Amino acid sequence: NTHGLSGRACSRPPGLYDFPPSKSRFTDIFPRRPAVSVIALQSVPDNEASNSPTEISSKWTFAGWSLRLMASAMVWLALQDSRSISTAVRLTTAAITCLDFAPTIDTQWQNIARGLETNKGKAKEVGKFRNAVCFKGLGELLGLGMMIARAHWACLGATIILLSHVLFWAVGGGSSRIDANGNHVPASPALVKVICTADLIVATTAALGTFAPTRRLRSVGAIAYSLLTTMLVAEKAKKHLEVSKEGPQVYTSTNKTLEVVDEKKSGGIEEKEIHSTNESISSPWNYDWNSQWYPLAFSKVTSKKVIHRLELFGEHLVLWHNGTDWAALADVCPHRLAPLSEGRVDETGQIECPYHGWTFTKEGTCTKIPQSTSCTNLRGCGARSYRVVERQGIIFVWGKAGATAEEADESLVPICPALDDDRFVWIDFSRDLPYSADILMENVLDSSHVCFTHHQTISKRENAIPLPLKLTTPIEPAGFHGEMAGDVAIGKTGEENIKAKRVTQRKTDFVAPAYMNHIIRSADVDSMDFDAGFETWTVAYATPTGPGRSRLLARFPFRFPPPKRRFFRFNVPGFIFKYLPDWINHLGQLKVTDDDNIFLPIQERQVHDMGGWKRYKMPTDADAFVKGYRRWYDKAGVPPHSPFAIDEYRSSEPTKEKLLDRKSQHTDHCASCNGARKNAIRIQSIMRGALLVCVAFTPTVVAQKSWKAFSTLGLITFVVLQIKRAAYLVEESLTTGMANYPPPRNRPAGRRLRRELRTVEQGRQG
């Protein structure tokens, strides 16, 4: 089941993913990136700040005021001092204090206050983070005090400040970090390592300016510290100006949002819409689509021997494996703008341009220009690089080129919690789709279409029933959570579960901007032991490759219950799912996605032409998740596609052959299916040769007049023909879906019903 909530009942460990409906749980499973930079001081009205704990406030704390006052005093003293070196150290330290140290400690104290207010269950982590912040603040105050007291103590004070920052991370400032919502979100070890390394480098120059044996070395250390700090000041000032121009970033609240339910009558059916009394909910967010992780491909079925040309937001990327890890650059050589994806990977793992042989590392640095032996300034000749990370077998890319390790925090990668459980087995599947990522996400969140769109593929029309879906959390920039209210019997499996006294729960998560999952679990009413039941997840990633197109990466984790027989402990279903070849599993998923492909591209263009999703008529609770996603999408805004990217299906009506082109949409980028298709072609060639051999032996067998020989030859010929036919069907199934068109939902139900489609009522009666 590729769409989740209408599938079979299942179970999972009790309490593993259960959270109170009044609290947001996305930061517990999927750590969230802070809304804005800690140095961005925004003007937020007090009434909004008090009602919205996820907003980034501009209120100054006592610690921040103290740092700013000491920095101001240090500036005044530095201007009175005639010694240029200590003056530069003082001025640059005062600038970085006002732009970074003070705003950071303000934000940290506000986060601690929210953590104490909203996260009572994690007081230990909040207390640990508070102690680390206190230690860092005291170090900053001590260092600034020494710089104010004596001019020749300037570098010593700077050393103390920077060492307090390093010790802040060492005593647990990263592992106990509290975010803007008051949630415990640990920093990734890689991020902590990068920050500590940078602080130690600057601290080394400051220490050299204090403890060097000669005056000349002390001057060199002070100058180096001033230059490095000046670079940091310029970077922080640039970010501060950019955020100031963009305006305040107001995010939605998580625990003080009141919901008002308006009930409308539409054709005798109640239509419920959830509105927020908080004004910040209604205003659009300044959502940054680029500063997110997006999945590109499954590493297991992505060949490491070739270069891959992929797309994100309408811009082409080149992906390759350098022998150690995956790397991605913009697919354009800075020399003459040729596509790097047509080049090669050299012996050192660097990518070489096919036009003139320029060579680039994974960071985009140009390391070789064959046409010049004297060109040493290769700094401006680099290509745009993208940060890439592999998690749970998926290759993710950060949407913004040239991002630092601090910006592209690897702890924010959206992963599936079920895959960290050894009891789960899963199926992976990916496909390029001829409709946008928002239509794809809307489709996979919608469970009620499965019975009709995928009739006789994974469901049946007669299984269609009202689905009481509801949102259990407010719509946030991070997404939302929903569930099915009550235990509803869906199809024959659901009826059997109720008769057997099994309880089924269905939950759904949307983690912005590209992840969703459905979870289905069941347990016996008496024991409520979810570990003894069946559990399944439907996980979908929707990567916005361009306008009118997207890439689906789907995962289907299963946890099968242990065998009931005492002497038979072998789990047959789990074994089959684990060791069945990927291309066999993909054949079934290709059929499912064909069901959607044939009409969703047309629907998308009609939605745009008719004024957007608000023309939808959605009077039932079955569309609750679609409504929630569309409201999120309206506030997040349209993805920032390249201005040169075009919707290919706008200029011409898409043909069925193109919509069902499995080869270009899936097989070409799936190593398993591509290998199976090539093997099928080889087998057909071998079988043709075997048929010729059989034909050549026919006169000899006939001349022998032996029925045994003739029967053996006939049997061999029959087997060869069947093998050839099976190989042809595999090749065809991995090339196009036209052999299965029209889909099962449009076919007659029986031989006598050649022109009649089976309705819901007919299916139930039958």
Side-chain angles (χ1 to χ4, degrees):
N1 186 346
T2 59
H3 297 276
L5 291 184
S6 59
R8 292 187 293 171
C10 59
S11 65
R12 63 180 176 186
L16 184 58
Y17 306 112
D18 292 336
F19 296 84
S22 62
K23 293 184 179 180
S24 174
R25 70 186 185 89
F26 294 102
T27 52
D28 293 331
I29 299 179
F30 309 95
R32 183 186 309 168
R33 194 171 139 269
V36 294
S37 173
V38 294
I39 65 166
L41 304 181
Q42 302 295 341
S43 300
V44 181
D46 291 341
N47 61 337
E48 290 186 7
S50 62
N51 292 329
S52 183
T54 54
E55 295 169 6
I56 301 301
S57 174
S58 62
K59 294 180 179 179
W60 289 0
T61 62
F62 175 77
W65 271 109
S66 302
L67 292 177
R68 291 179 178 91
L69 288 175
M70 296 185 75
S72 301
M74 192 163 57
V75 170
W76 184 80
L77 290 174
L79 295 178
Q80 308 300 319
D81 193 354
S82 60
R83 285 172 286 190
S84 59
I85 296 179
S86 62
T87 300
V89 173
R90 282 176 160 183
L91 290 176
T92 54
T93 305
I96 199 65
T97 298
C98 292
L99 287 174
D100 189 12
F101 300 163
T104 298
I105 205 167
D106 286 339
T107 303
Q108 288 171 342
W109 276 114
Q110 292 164 22
N111 294 349
I112 291 169
R114 288 170 185 163
L116 293 173
E117 178 184 357
T118 61
N119 267 346
K120 298 297 184 182
K122 295 186 178 179
K124 182 178 179 181
E125 288 80 2
V126 176
K128 187 176 180 181
F129 186 66
R130 179 180 56 188
N131 294 337
V133 173
C134 287
F135 180 83
K136 179 171 70 74
L138 291 175
E140 291 172 346
L141 292 173
L142 177 61
L144 291 175
M146 296 188 69
M147 298 177 79
I148 292 173
R150 293 286 187 272
H152 60 274
W153 287 355
C155 286
L156 178 60
T159 305
I160 293 174
I161 292 174
L162 292 166
L163 289 179
S164 71
H165 289 182
V166 175
L167 292 175
F168 165 78
W169 297 103
V171 299
S175 60
S176 60
R177 186 176 66 172
I178 305 299
D179 71 354
N181 297 320
N183 294 312
H184 175 223
V185 184
S188 66
L191 176 62
V192 173
K193 184 177 180 180
V194 169
I195 295 176
C196 288
T197 303
D199 285 341
L200 284 173
I201 291 174
V202 183
T204 301
T205 60
L208 182 65
T210 302
F211 303 108
T214 63
R215 184 174 181 179
R216 177 173 295 181
L217 287 178
R218 289 194 294 271
S219 300
V220 170
I223 293 172
Y225 169 81
S226 301
L227 291 176
L228 290 175
T229 313
T230 301
M231 294 171 61
L232 293 174
V233 168
E235 180 186 356
K236 298 296 182 181
K238 181 180 177 181
K239 290 184 178 180
H240 179 66
L241 292 174
E242 288 176 353
V243 175
S244 299
K245 290 179 181 179
E246 291 175 357
Q249 300 192 12
V250 182
Y251 279 59
T252 63
S253 62
T254 58
N255 64 347
K256 293 188 179 180
T257 301
L258 302 179
E259 292 183 353
V260 180
V261 179
D262 297 336
E263 296 186 0
K264 301 179 181 179
K265 295 289 184 178
S266 177
I269 302 176
E270 287 187 354
E271 180 178 3
K272 298 181 180 180
E273 295 184 355
I274 299 177
H275 304 285
S276 173
T277 58
N278 190 337
E279 293 298 327
S280 64
I281 296 288
S282 302
S283 61
W285 306 315
N286 192 4
Y287 191 79
D288 190 352
W289 284 85
N290 294 106
S291 297
Q292 310 290 339
W293 288 103
Y294 294 96
L296 293 180
F298 291 109
S299 59
K300 181 180 177 181
V301 294
T302 303
S303 176
K304 297 180 180 180
K305 299 179 181 179
V306 299
I307 298 174
H308 305 273
R309 191 174 197 243
L310 303 173
E311 195 177 16
L312 182 67
F313 294 125
E315 294 189 7
H316 285 98
L317 309 180
V318 55
L319 177 74
W320 81 97
H321 197 272
N322 61 11
T324 304
D325 48 20
W326 295 95
L329 301 176
D331 191 21
V332 55
C333 178
H335 178 210
R336 298 269 290 278
L337 309 185
L340 294 173
S341 57
E342 293 300 323
R344 74 180 185 99
V345 178
D346 65 11
E347 296 75 15
T348 62
Q350 301 180 18
I351 191 167
E352 181 182 281
C353 177
Y355 205 5
H356 297 90
W358 285 31
T359 305
F360 304 90
T361 64
K362 70 175 185 177
E363 292 82 12
T365 305
C366 181
T367 58
K368 183 174 67 174
I369 299 180
Q371 292 76 25
S372 174
T373 57
S374 59
C375 182
T376 57
N377 185 18
L378 304 181
R379 200 169 191 178
C381 301
R384 288 188 296 126
S385 64
Y386 290 80
R387 290 200 169 268
V388 179
V389 64
E390 183 177 344
R391 288 290 183 274
Q392 292 186 335
I394 297 180
I395 305 167
F396 289 89
V397 65
W398 187 254
K400 184 180 294 184
T404 63
E406 182 179 3
E407 293 173 330
D409 190 348
E410 295 182 8
S411 66
L412 305 176
V413 176
I415 59 176
C416 174
L419 270 63
D420 292 332
D421 190 336
D422 295 336
R423 295 171 297 176
F424 279 86
V425 293
W426 61 89
I427 301 171
D428 291 337
F429 173 76
S430 62
R431 184 169 184 173
D432 293 321
L433 302 175
Y435 44 89
S436 298
D438 60 305
I439 295 293
L440 169 57
M441 185 58 69
E442 173 188 297
N443 182 52
V444 294
L445 282 169
D446 174 25
S447 299
S448 60
H449 82 283
V450 176
C451 303
F452 293 92
T453 303
H454 305 295
H455 172 68
Q456 295 296 347
T457 305
I458 55 175
S459 187
K460 296 180 180 179
R461 292 192 190 96
E462 49 265 36
N463 291 343
I465 61 171
L467 299 180
L469 307 180
K470 66 176 183 179
L471 299 184
T472 57
T473 60
I475 301 171
E476 305 176 295
F480 57 80
H481 170 66
E483 64 182 17
M484 184 176 293
D487 188 5
V488 180
I490 299 178
K492 187 177 296 185
T493 304
E495 295 174 358
E496 292 175 353
N497 285 336
I498 292 180
K499 291 179 181 178
K501 296 183 179 181
R502 285 194 293 266
V503 179
T504 303
Q505 293 183 351
R506 298 172 174 87
K507 297 184 179 181
T508 296
D509 300 306
F510 165 63
V511 181
Y515 173 95
M516 64 74 56
N517 66 252
H518 297 301
I519 310 171
I520 310 177
R521 60 178 184 168
S522 66
D524 293 334
V525 175
D526 298 330
S527 66
M528 295 301 290
D529 184 7
F530 293 102
D531 273 336
F534 177 81
E535 180 174 347
T536 180
W537 291 51
T538 297
V539 179
Y541 294 90
T543 302
T545 53
R549 54 192 179 274
S550 60
R551 170 166 285 193
L552 166 68
L553 283 84
R555 318 197 86 155
F556 307 101
F558 298 89
R559 194 196 64 210
F560 296 95
K564 295 182 179 180
R565 295 183 181 181
R566 183 177 300 177
F567 301 103
F568 188 72
R569 296 295 182 183
F570 184 66
N571 196 319
V572 177
F575 178 83
I576 293 174
F577 271 86
K578 188 173 182 178
Y579 294 103
L580 197 67
D582 290 327
W583 66 269
I584 296 179
N585 289 322
H586 292 177
L587 287 175
Q589 300 304 326
L590 285 169
K591 289 183 180 179
V592 175
T593 49
D594 279 349
D595 292 343
D596 298 311
N597 269 21
I598 203 65
F599 66 85
L600 283 182
I602 300 173
Q603 179 212 357
E604 178 182 6
R605 278 74 188 180
Q606 291 181 166
V607 170
H608 291 171
D609 293 343
M610 298 178 68
W613 76 274
K614 293 185 178 179
R615 295 293 300 273
Y616 292 174
K617 304 297 182 183
M618 298 186 290
T620 67
D621 291 335
D623 294 314
F625 298 158
V626 175
K627 291 179 186 178
Y629 173 71
R630 279 303 174 185
R631 288 170 184 159
W632 176 91
Y633 189 84
D634 283 350
K635 295 168 187 174
V638 181
H641 292 300
S642 168
F644 306 104
I646 60 172
D647 184 350
E648 299 175 358
Y649 296 121
R650 271 295 179 188
S651 58
S652 61
E653 186 76 15
T655 63
K656 293 181 177 63
E657 290 78 10
K658 195 167 185 179
L659 294 177
L660 302 179
D661 183 5
R662 297 178 177 180
K663 182 177 181 296
S664 63
Q665 295 174 1
H666 170 75
T667 305
D668 285 345
H669 69 256
C670 176
S672 178
C673 291
N674 197 21
R677 180 177 175 273
K678 291 179 179 179
N679 289 335
I681 294 174
R682 295 190 188 101
I683 290 173
Q684 291 180 70
S685 301
I686 294 172
M687 292 303 105
R688 291 191 192 98
L691 283 176
L692 291 177
V693 172
C694 290
V695 171
F697 272 95
T698 300
T700 304
V701 173
V702 172
Q704 291 180 357
K705 297 181 180 181
S706 171
W707 287 104
K708 182 181 293 187
F710 190 78
S711 300
T712 302
L713 180 63
L715 180 61
I716 293 174
T717 304
F718 176 77
V719 171
V720 169
L721 287 172
Q722 292 303 312
I723 294 175
K724 182 178 179 298
R725 181 174 179 274
Y728 170 76
L729 292 177
V730 170
E731 180 202 357
E732 183 185 46
S733 299
L734 293 173
T735 303
T736 179
M738 287 301 297
N740 297 317
Y741 185 84
R745 64 174 179 267
N746 294 348
R747 297 174 190 168
R751 294 183 179 180
R752 297 181 181 179
L753 302 175
R754 292 295 183 185
R755 298 182 180 179
E756 184 179 358
L757 295 180
R758 194 174 192 184
T759 63
V760 177
E761 290 73 17
Q762 289 172 337
R764 287 174 177 168
Q765 293 172 2

